[in-house]
Amino acid sequence: MKLIHGTVPVLASLDIGESASFYTERLGFINAVQTDNYLIVSRDGAEIHFWLCDERHIAEHTSCYVRVANTQALYEEFRARGLALQTPAVRAWGMKELYVIDPHGNLLKFGETI
């Protein structure tokens, strides 16, 4: 019996509205739930949650790993949505990764098995 179904990162947001706009407009997520102090965005079965925080250093020291099928396709989509990014790179641990830093400093690592 499979007891654990998945994990959901909960990241810090300095401004819930700004996070909602960035993740929907720039990264193609859907705004699933938004309150004054909490946000849930989703895309392709994955969710990311955000809690309102007033300490930027918390977000700047946080990251989230998202496994994906095609980092190059995401890179091209994100660039078309206005993000300036470095191209995906193959890492020593056998993953091709694309890095995105959101407006509050959270690092998203999109990783594809090679």
Side-chain angles (χ1 to χ4, degrees), residues 70-99:
N70 188 328
T71 54
Q72 187 63 37
L74 277 179
Y75 169 77
E76 292 169 10
E77 177 189 329
F78 295 167
R79 294 268 303 169
R81 291 174 174 269
L83 287 180
L85 302 170
Q86 293 188 2
T87 58
V90 175
R91 305 297 174 183
W93 44 91
M95 299 294 287
K96 185 175 182 183
E97 296 178 343
L98 170 64
Y99 296 164

Side-chain angles (χ1 to χ4, degrees), residues 41-105:
V41 296
S42 65
R43 178 173 174 169
D44 301 328
E47 285 184 3
I48 303 175
H49 293 208
F50 299 86
W51 61 284
L52 186 60
C53 174
D54 61 2
E55 298 181 44
R56 184 174 184 88
H57 73 275
I58 293 174
E60 290 176 341
H61 290 88
T62 304
S63 66
C64 168
Y65 203 93
V66 182
R67 291 192 180 264
V68 300
N70 188 328
T71 54
Q72 187 63 37
L74 277 179
Y75 169 77
E76 292 169 10
E77 177 189 329
F78 295 167
R79 294 268 303 169
R81 291 174 174 269
L83 287 180
L85 302 170
Q86 293 188 2
T87 58
V90 175
R91 305 297 174 183
W93 44 91
M95 299 294 287
K96 185 175 182 183
E97 296 178 343
L98 170 64
Y99 296 164
V100 174
I101 298 175
D102 78 10
H104 305 146

Side-chain angles (χ1 to χ4, degrees), residues 10-54:
V10 183
L11 305 177
S13 170
L14 302 176
D15 180 305
I16 293 294
E18 186 176 27
S19 292
S21 294
F22 179 80
Y23 282 82
T24 58
E25 295 169 15
R26 300 287 187 228
L27 302 183
F29 281 78
I30 294 168
N31 186 334
V33 174
Q34 183 174 346
T35 69
D36 291 341
N37 61 4
Y38 207 81
L39 171 68
I40 300 172
V41 296
S42 65
R43 178 173 174 169
D44 301 328
E47 285 184 3
I48 303 175
H49 293 208
F50 299 86
W51 61 284
L52 186 60
C53 174
D54 61 2

